[in-house]
Structure formats: C-alpha cells, structure tokens
Amino acid sequence: MSASPSAILERGARLLIGPILVVSLYLLFAGHNSPGGGFVGGLTAGLALSLGYAAEGPAAVRRITRLAPTTLLGAGLAVAGLTGAAGWVLGNGFLDAGATTWDLPLLGEVKATSALVFDIGVFAVVAGMVGLTLEGLSGREEA
C-alpha cells in the first residue's frame, strides 16, 4: 500500500522546514541568556525533520540533515564528551566552563563559552536521535 502525501502537506512542509530550522538555531545560541539551548534547539530541529518525514518520507530526513542520523548523533556525542573532558585536560573538573572573548570586525566583542560547544553537541545528538527514530519508523535502513 503506497499512499502519496497530501499536496498541501508537501508544499507546506517545504515552506516551513527552513524557518523552523532557523528558530532551532536561534534557540541553540540564545540558550545561555534566555530559555533554550542544545536540547530545546535539537527538539525544534527534530520537529522540522518530522514534518519533512510526514510530507516526503524517510528520504527527507537525509535531505534536510545531509548526513546519516547515526553520523550526526555520533559526532554530537563526541563533541559534547570532548568538551566535558577538556576541563580535565586543563586541570579542572569534568564540564568546568571556560570562556574567551574575541574582538571581531563588524561584530565587535564576542564572548564564546565551552557551554556553547557542549550545547552544539547536545543539539546534534537530539536531532540525530529524532532522525534515527524516523528512519526506524519507516521499516527500512538507508545507507
């Protein structure tokens, strides 16, 4: 049984996936000073993946992420784990926060923290897990 998705759903998904991903990135980067962060941003990106999956099937997950969900999940786990372990390397505790400030042209003074890098890893883990779950729902594995 092969059901084609609704034309309205397909076109609506194509219009909404981009803005949803932009909101997910906003939530990722705004998470230090207001509600959000890697987990919430990753769930929002997962919403975009789910919408694409509902409209176009499992191929949409790969089209949106450009990576296999397992690769995204593994890379995010590595980034989050290595960020946490960096505290040990620097003689501090696991997940001790570090910060640096750069003076960038056009942007001015920009502060970057290790928590942001950790959040990026969490974002990738959550989005990868949602993508992996959606591919699992399809009943077939894509290479």
Side-chain angles (χ1 to χ4, degrees):
M1 180 173 132
S2 170
S4 62
S6 161
I8 295 172
L9 175 62
E10 188 176 335
R11 284 175 181 77
R14 287 193 184 267
L15 287 173
L16 290 174
I17 287 172
I20 291 171
L21 289 173
V22 169
V23 168
S24 76
L25 290 175
Y26 170 77
L27 289 170
L28 169 65
F29 290 111
H32 296 17
N33 301 321
S34 59
F39 187 76
V40 174
L43 285 178
T44 307
L47 171 67
L49 293 175
S50 299
L51 184 59
Y53 177 83
E56 300 174 31
V61 173
R62 294 285 175 97
R63 183 181 55 78
I64 294 167
T65 62
R66 309 246 193 256
L67 295 171
T70 52
T71 303
L72 189 61
L73 195 151
L77 190 57
V79 167
L82 290 173
T83 302
W88 284 337
V89 172
L90 299 173
N92 300 320
F94 187 77
L95 280 178
D96 268 359
T100 186
T101 305
W102 294 304
D103 190 23
L104 299 176
L106 300 174
L107 294 177
E109 190 174 293
V110 175
K111 181 179 178 185
T113 64
S114 60
L116 175 62
V117 179
F118 179 78
D119 274 348
I120 290 171
V122 171
F123 179 94
V125 167
V126 173
M129 191 65 220
V130 170
L132 191 62
T133 302
L134 292 172
E135 281 192 353
L137 287 174
S138 71
R140 63 175 191 217
E141 234 179 87
E142 293 185 22

